[in-house]
Each structure stands twice: as C-alpha cells, then as structure tokens.
Amino acid sequence: MMARRVSFLYPTGDTIVAQATASGRAAVAMVRLSGPGVGTLLRGAVVPWRGESVRRLWLAEYRAEGEGVLDQVVAVYFKAPRSYTGEDVAELTCHGSPVIVDRLIRDCVARGARLAEPGEFTFRAFLNGKMDLCQAEAVRELVESQTWGQAIGAQRALRGSLKGRLEAVREKVVDVLVELESRIEFANEDLPVVEACELSVALEQVERELGGWIESYEKARLIREGVRVVLAGRPNVGKSSLFNRLLDEERAIVTSVPGTTRDCLREWVDFGGIRVCLIDTAGVRSTWEDVERLGVERAEREIEEADLVLFILDASLPAGSEDERGWRLIEDRPHVVVVNKIDKGWEEGQPPWVCELRDRAVKVSARTGEGIEKLKEIVSGLAVPGGPQEVESPAVTSLRQSVCVEHALDAVRTGRVGLRGGVSEEYVAEVLRGALSALGELVGETTSDEILRGIFSKFCIGK
Ligand code: GDP
C-alpha cells in the first residue's frame, strides 16, 4: 500500500513511548517505543542490547540513567519497515508495578523519547502505509469490542475485507472517467466512442455495490448498537407495567393515576441474542401541564428515533381520541400493535380503526404475563430477521465510512443521470472525480487532519 501524504496532526520523525498494557497493577506490563531513535535510545538502557537479532525475545536488565537496574525485562526489537508502525519498534515487558512502569517510561523520556498521544502508534502505522484508515478504525473497534459479534466484525475489517471490493469499484469509475476525458480531449477527432448507455450501465453497477455497503452497514448497526424499541400509548394503557414485564423487574413506577411516567426510562435487555434498548415514554397526549408536556415532547422525539415502536392499546376500554392521536403518529413507522390487559376481557365498543387492528395485534397481559414471550420473539424477529447469525459482515463499519460511501454513491448517481440526460461530459467527469475523492477519503488518502484527529484521539494511549 502507498504511504499516505505527510500529516501535521502529530509530529513524526521523533521517538514515542507509552505503556501498551492497561494501567494499574498486573503480573506484567508492556512499554512500547516507536521511531528512528529506538535503537540508539535503548542501547545504554537495555543490557545486553541485542538489537541486531530482530524479532527475537531476549532477557535483559533495564538500567535507568543514574539509578542502576530498574527491573528485569523481556525485550523484542522490530526493525523498520517490518513493524506495527513501519518504524523501528521495541517492546519491553517488565513487572506490572505502576512504579516500575512509571520510572521506565520517565527514563525513556530522559533519553530523548516523547510520551505518545492516544492512538499515535496506529496513526504512524497508517501514515507509513501499514494500514488504511478503515483498518485503523477496526483496531480501535477490536480493542473496544464488548461482544463476540463485534470482535469478529472488527477482525474482518482489520484484515482489510473492504480493500479488494473498493479497488474494483474505483477501477470501474476510473474507466468511465478515462473514457469521458478522452472524449473531451479528442472532441473533434473521429475516435470510436463507447456509448453513453454502456457507461451508465457501468455506473449502475457501482451504485448497486455502494448501495449494498450502506444497507449492510445499517443492518449491522442493529447488532452493533442494539435496537431501540419504544413503548408508546396513552397514559394508563400499561406501558410501565409492560416495560417491567419485559425486563422481568420492577423498574418503572406503576400507579393507576394517568401520567405518572413523566420522563423516559430506558433499559437494555437481551431478546434472543439481540441487544434491545427498551424505552418507556410518558403518555402521548396533549396536555397543558408544563412538566408533563416536556415529557410528552421527549416521548415524541423518542418515537421518531425508534427502530421499532410498540403501540399499546387497552383491551378493556374503548379507545379514545388520545389513542387515535398516538396511532396516527406511529402508523407509518415500523411498529407492533400490542393489546394489553387481555385478562380483563375485550371491550366490544371499540371504534372501527381499532377493530381493524385487532387481528394483527399481539395480545398480552402485563399483569399475568400472558403473551409476553411471544411479544419478545416478534420484536427480535422484526428487528433482525433470522437473528444475529444471519447478518452478513458489513463492508463499512463506522458512520464516518458510511457517510463517505453515501457521498460517493450520490456523485455516481448524479453522474449516471447526467449521462442519460445528455449533460456535458465535463460536468459528469467533474462529478465522478468527486466520487473518487469520497472513496479516497473512505480509506484515508484524502482525509483532513481534523477528521483524523477525531478518529485517533478516541484511541487509548499505547495503541
Ligand atoms: P402507563 O401509564 O401506560 O405506564 O400504565 P401503567 O403501567 O402505569 O398501568 C396503569 C394501570 O393499569 C395500573 O394500575 C396497572 O396495574 C394496570 N395494568 C397494567 N397492565 C395491566 C394488565 O395487563 N392487566 C390489568 N388488569 N391491569 C393492568
């Protein structure tokens, strides 16, 4: 891979040092150094220094300047460019006492190293072409992964699963661009020209591929971040009771006075391997009571952001205008109609819109627990059809990456529509150059320092 252009984000060319293992007491700790000065710097400290036998572990003493032996260390030395960062790298494993680690790092600094910034090792790896930006992001995802699924996804991304697919897409766009540019250049000559139709077919393929990346990112998002499920319905239909039932605990306060849940409560639960964030909203109804109105606004916002809304009706009472208002708010969103309190029997005097919903509603009783398991199954099935194992590993794994792909997709689409509509070749070529630049940004070739800072500053120190 090509090394990236020089960045002014962090100073390069000096030698950095940091503890790579977690801080605190442990059996061992590892201190990592990277930069052109590593060999010279450690020659006097690590005794014996065996820098010539690269990639081999050796046992040595670490001798601090003016202090004598600090600790026994296991050292390993990687010579540039065959190291994590692409520079000379040493890793010293010492006993895991914070005092020793602190002294050892201070001594490295006294000998000319600088304390590394968060993510600076990975940043250097990226600068030196050891990995692209997507892989650098995968390193962080892997370190931070909390579920096995997240770890697997990050490992795939780290192995560079995007690279090949990206190159194929770029090639197609470049081919079209080359054709357009030669038409522009040789406009007056009689060269065989590839039909506009053929070019737009190639762009259509690119659109399909990029569209697929965005779609798979969206699907995987539900696994990665969990599914937001909002319980909505007028006060007293039993939202809080249902919330507790679904959580198997008494989390929300349940009373028979309408409007007691004035804020939104949220809890994470596991429905069949899917992480679900359950959100209990304040009743959706118009009210002039200030505190409650705030709660209602919040509820409406939650509903707008939800992946799925459980719209709850009371089986034992005829639905009123508040229920209907709530229904109109959510009917066009992904939802499940839940009829609660079936232990109290079905009220026959329901308005027609409720009668229409009755057949497809899930009937439950928060009081007795009837229908609750079925409701859980329906929620997880709707959120992630087929369960977590069915979700293919996405090509792009972060919002940043997905936004770059969206920009590229927009540009390619604009280009194709332009070609079909007969707009000037110069214009289409310009638009397609924009698509290539968005794809370059995706892997970090043309990414601004500001964005890079945003990415690398989220790393832990020592990575
Ligand atoms: P919310 O205002 O929608 O959150 O409703 P709550 O959960 O506070 O419940 C309102 C009232 O309905 C309380 O007195 C609950 O005990 C009662 N309730 C909730 N679910 C059921 C149910 O399935 N059956 C019966 N019989 N009562 C219920």
Side-chain angles (χ1 to χ4, degrees):
M1 187 191 305
M2 288 259 300
R4 192 183 170 274
R5 68 178 170 77
V6 174
S7 160
F8 299 102
L9 187 56
Y10 302 116
T12 50
D14 55 353
T15 296
I16 51 175
V17 61
Q19 177 171 2
T21 42
S23 63
R25 213 162 290 281
V28 294
M30 198 261 273
V31 172
R32 184 193 260 163
L33 296 100
S34 176
V38 172
T40 328
L41 195 146
L42 292 182
R43 200 173 296 274
V46 175
V47 184
W49 174 250
R50 298 236 177 91
E52 72 287 351
S53 64
V54 289
R55 294 164 167 265
R56 290 240 178 98
L57 294 176
W58 78 94
L59 194 62
E61 283 178 344
Y62 191 98
R63 296 189 185 161
E65 267 178 344
E67 273 192 87
V69 178
L70 268 188
D71 194 14
Q72 198 171 43
V73 296
V74 174
V76 61
Y77 185 54
F78 305 87
K79 197 98 189 84
R82 296 187 59 204
S83 70
Y84 180 71
T85 60
E87 304 176 324
D88 291 346
V89 167
E91 293 180 355
L92 307 176
T93 305
C94 59
H95 289 99
S97 147
V99 185
I100 292 178
V101 174
D102 183 70
R103 293 208 158 199
L104 201 152
I105 291 178
R106 277 172 194 277
D107 187 67
C108 291
V109 171
R111 291 172 190 269
R114 165 173 68 77
L115 292 178
E117 299 290 331
E120 205 174 351
F121 290 92
T122 307
F123 177 71
R124 288 189 173 189
F126 161 67
L127 263 197
N128 293 324
K130 283 280 166 181
M131 58 177 79
D132 64 33
L133 196 53
C134 298
Q135 289 170 305
E137 281 174 307
V139 169
R140 183 167 69 91
E141 272 164 36
L142 187 55
V143 172
E144 286 182 0
S145 58
Q146 287 181 333
T147 65
W148 182 227
Q150 288 170 332
I152 291 176
Q155 271 164 348
R156 280 192 194 136
L158 185 55
R159 282 197 295 270
S161 57
L162 179 66
K163 219 180 287 173
R165 296 168 77 178
L166 179 68
E167 281 319 310
V169 163
R170 275 181 171 185
E171 233 167 73
K172 278 208 178 80
V173 179
V174 168
D175 286 349
V176 174
L177 198 54
V178 166
E179 173 61 28
L180 288 173
E181 279 170 351
S182 65
R183 284 193 204 180
I184 297 166
E185 198 151 323
F186 305 108
N188 300 326
E189 296 174 29
D190 267 350
L191 288 172
V193 286
V194 185
E195 291 286 328
C197 174
E198 220 171 281
L199 296 183
S200 63
V201 166
L203 293 181
E204 244 169 64
Q205 286 170 351
V206 170
E207 277 173 53
R208 264 199 302 279
E209 174 79 13
L210 296 181
W213 295 4
I214 294 171
E215 213 171 280
S216 71
Y217 170 72
E218 276 304 311
K219 272 196 204 146
R221 182 182 70 84
L222 297 180
I223 299 274
R224 199 173 43 244
E225 294 169 14
V227 183
R228 293 164 54 90
V229 177
V230 168
L231 284 81
R234 67 151 169 79
N236 246 18
V237 287
K239 292 183 296 298
S240 306
S241 310
L242 211 50
F243 182 76
N244 289 336
R245 253 302 167 190
L246 291 167
L247 288 179
D248 294 328
E249 64 176 86
E250 293 292 313
R251 170 74 166 79
I253 313 150
V254 178
T255 70
S256 51
V257 186
T260 39
T261 317
R262 286 184 173 151
D263 208 344
C264 300
L265 297 174
R266 60 193 69 227
E267 284 291 344
W268 286 99
V269 272
D270 187 324
F271 285 0
I274 314 278
R275 265 161 64 80
V276 171
C277 181
L278 270 188
I279 302 161
D280 182 10
T281 62
V284 179
R285 63 174 197 160
S286 22
T287 164
W288 295 107
E289 198 195 322
D290 269 0
V291 183
E292 198 169 69
R293 201 183 63 229
L294 266 181
V296 171
E297 279 169 12
R298 223 165 279 165
E300 293 186 1
R301 202 164 58 230
E302 291 291 351
I303 289 172
E304 261 170 37
E305 289 170 4
D307 296 307
L308 188 68
V309 179
L310 301 188
F311 179 67
I312 304 157
L313 288 166
D314 187 332
S316 66
L317 290 173
S321 58
E322 283 181 60
D323 293 291
E324 190 166 359
R325 180 172 165 266
W327 170 241
R328 299 298 165 216
L329 197 67
I330 66 110
E331 65 178 329
D332 294 328
R333 301 178 184 281
H335 66 259
V336 175
V337 179
V338 181
V339 171
N340 186 34
K341 307 195 191 180
I342 49 164
D343 56 294
K344 288 170 99 178
W346 175 256
E347 159 65 42
E348 291 300 336
Q350 296 286 6
W353 69 272
V354 174
C355 295
E356 271 172 37
L357 294 178
R358 186 182 171 178
D359 283 347
R360 64 179 172 97
V362 188
K363 285 112 190 144
V364 303
S365 165
R367 176 154 296 171
T368 66
E370 195 183 337
I372 297 294
E373 283 312 309
K374 174 103 187 130
L375 179 59
K376 288 184 183 177
E377 272 170 35
I378 289 175
V379 169
S380 61
L382 277 177
V384 184
Q389 62 283 357
E390 289 302 310
V391 173
E392 59 169 313
S393 142
V396 291
T397 55
S398 75
L399 184 61
R400 181 197 71 81
Q401 297 172 18
S402 159
V403 168
C404 291
V405 175
E406 268 169 35
H407 286 164
L409 176 59
D410 279 348
V412 172
R413 192 176 290 135
T414 310
R416 177 180 55 83
V417 172
L419 267 181
R420 281 266 159 98
V423 304
S424 80
E425 280 147 357
E426 279 92 346
Y427 173 75
V428 177
E430 188 55 35
V431 166
L432 292 185
R433 275 192 287 272
L436 287 177
S437 141
L439 294 175
E441 212 167 293
L442 172 63
V443 284
E445 286 163 8
T446 52
T447 312
S448 73
D449 279 0
E450 201 181 321
I451 291 175
L452 293 180
R453 188 188 301 279
I455 293 170
F456 286 98
S457 62
K458 290 197 204 111
F459 274 69
C460 41
I461 290 180
K463 192 65 224 175

